């Protein structure tokens, strides 16, 4: 089990919920009984200070009742619908830049329980060309983001900077020299291309000064072959193998914020961009 933010939310939800339940079961009846005792004395005026003291909830109960619905809502939202992530590296340039804050669809590939990531309902499967967040197979506590290149059963080859899917080359057209719109990793003499991966047209970067790792790999059942769009600067399936289905987190679909510490802060033109 990974002790991440989802785990913290789950623990906080359990603690606040148990405090609320314990109050409703044991403490609240005692407060009601004390209040009834004070108000049922015939002929005697009610002492307001004693009445307020008898009705007052413990501070920890007040906090639990206030925070439980909020924490539960956040846990359910992040666990089943949408989760935000920040892009820390340049492996997906030019599609995603260092400093992008993205939203990930958590139910695109089935509903999973928070924390354990156990699938409880089947809804769909990754398609070739999807940009996917997943738990790094060599260290599941780390989240990675790459593009799906190979589906279960595919024969994937990468040679001469070209992807071959089941023997068919994936075509790409040169756009020109890449000029980054944000700071981050230096990318000198990098060329930008438009790659046509099935029905997904997306931009990639290729470095003419680097040969790139060539591979030939049959994707096992229940696994996916992932690559970064910054092809010569990406730690992906060419180096550590495929991603098991249970490691999938969700499909990235939108940039909701970009914060660039090296330039002017917010890069407004990236906000709301759809991820292809």
């Amino acid at each position: 089990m990974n002790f991440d933010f989802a785990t913290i939310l789950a623990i906080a939800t359990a603690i606040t919920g148990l405090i609320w339940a314990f109050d409703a079961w044991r403490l609240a009846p005692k407060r009601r009984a004390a209040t009834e005792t004070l108000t049922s004395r015939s002929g005697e005026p009610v002492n307001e200070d004693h009445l307020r003291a008898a009705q007052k909830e413990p501070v920890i109960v007040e906090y639990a009742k206030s925070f439980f619905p909020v924490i539960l809502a956040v846990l359910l939202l992040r666990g089943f619908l949408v989760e935000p992530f920040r892009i820390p590296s340049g492996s997906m340039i030019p599609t995603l830049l260092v400093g992008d804050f993205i939203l990930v669809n958590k139910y695109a590939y089935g509903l999973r329980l928070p924390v354990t990531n156990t699938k409880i309902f089947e809804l769909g499967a990754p398609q070739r060309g999807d940009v996917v967040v997943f738990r790094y197979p060599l260290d599941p506590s780390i989240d990675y983001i790459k593009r799906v290149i190979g589906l279960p059963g595919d024969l994937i080859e990468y040679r001469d900077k070209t992807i071959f899917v089941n023997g068919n080359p994936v075509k790409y057209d040169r756009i020109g020299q890449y000029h980054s719109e944000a700071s981050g990793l230096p990318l000198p003499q990098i060329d930008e291309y438009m790659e046509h991966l099935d029905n997904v047209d997306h931009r990639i970067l290729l470095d003419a000064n680097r040969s790139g790792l060539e591979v030939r790999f049959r994707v096992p059942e229940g696994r996916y072959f992932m690559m970064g769009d910054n092809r010569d600067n990406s730690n992906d399936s060419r180096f550590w193998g495929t991603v098991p289905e249970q490691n999938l987190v969700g499909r990235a679909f939108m940039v909701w914020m970009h914060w660039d510490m090296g330039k002017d802060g917010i890069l407004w033109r990236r906000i709301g961009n759809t991820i292809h």
Side-chain angles (χ1 to χ4, degrees), residues 32-47:
R32 287 194 295 270
T35 300
E36 291 174 0
T37 299
L38 290 173
T39 56
S40 62
R41 295 173 180 174
S42 59
E44 296 183 15
V46 177
N47 187 306

Side-chain angles (χ1 to χ4, degrees), residues 1-13 75 78 114-116:
M1 182 180 297
N2 300 317
F3 194 79
D4 53 14
F5 188 56
T7 305
I8 295 173
L9 282 175
I11 293 173
T13 302
L75 177 66
R78 292 180 81 258
V115 183
T116 64

Side-chain angles (χ1 to χ4, degrees), residues 90 93-94 96-98 177-188 190 192 203 205 258 260 263 267 269-270:
I93 297 174
L96 297 171
L97 306 181
V98 177
Q177 189 170 10
Y178 178 67
H179 300 283
S180 178
E181 57 182 314
S183 62
L185 298 178
L187 300 170
I190 297 289
E192 184 177 9
R203 298 180 297 156
L205 299 183
H258 178 94
D260 192 336
K263 288 192 175 181
L267 195 60
R269 61 181 173 273
R270 290 196 61 77

Side-chain angles (χ1 to χ4, degrees), residues 69-90:
V70 177
I71 299 173
L72 178 62
V74 173
L75 177 66
L76 294 177
L77 178 65
R78 292 180 81 258
F80 296 108
L81 298 178
V82 177
E83 184 172 357
F85 287 87
R86 181 181 182 276
I87 303 301
S89 72

Side-chain angles (χ1 to χ4, degrees), residues 86-100 144-146 178 180 182-187 190 203-206 210 227-236 238 258 270:
R86 181 181 182 276
I87 303 301
S89 72
S91 69
M92 283 297 291
I93 297 174
T95 303
L96 297 171
L97 306 181
V98 177
D100 278 346
Y144 266 37
I145 182 167
K146 306 291 179 186
Y178 178 67
S180 178
S183 62
L185 298 178
L187 300 170
I190 297 289
R203 298 180 297 156
I204 63 171
L205 299 183
L206 296 175
R210 300 183 65 177
M227 292 179 69
D229 290 346
N230 188 359
R231 289 288 157 76
D232 297 309
N233 294 280
S234 173
N235 179 26
D236 51 38
R238 291 171 290 176
H258 178 94
R270 290 196 61 77

Side-chain angles (χ1 to χ4, degrees), residues 147-164:
R147 189 177 297 275
V148 177
I149 302 297
L151 302 177
D154 281 346
L155 175 62
I156 301 297
E157 299 177 78
Y158 187 71
R159 63 178 188 272
D160 299 326
K161 296 187 182 294
T162 299
I163 296 171
F164 293 80

Side-chain angles (χ1 to χ4, degrees), residues 110-132:
L111 291 179
R112 298 175 184 270
L113 293 175
V115 183
T116 64
N117 209 38
T118 303
K119 184 182 288 188
I120 57 175
F121 195 79
E122 190 77 44
L123 287 176
Q127 302 299 308
R128 189 175 290 108
D130 286 359
V131 177
V132 174

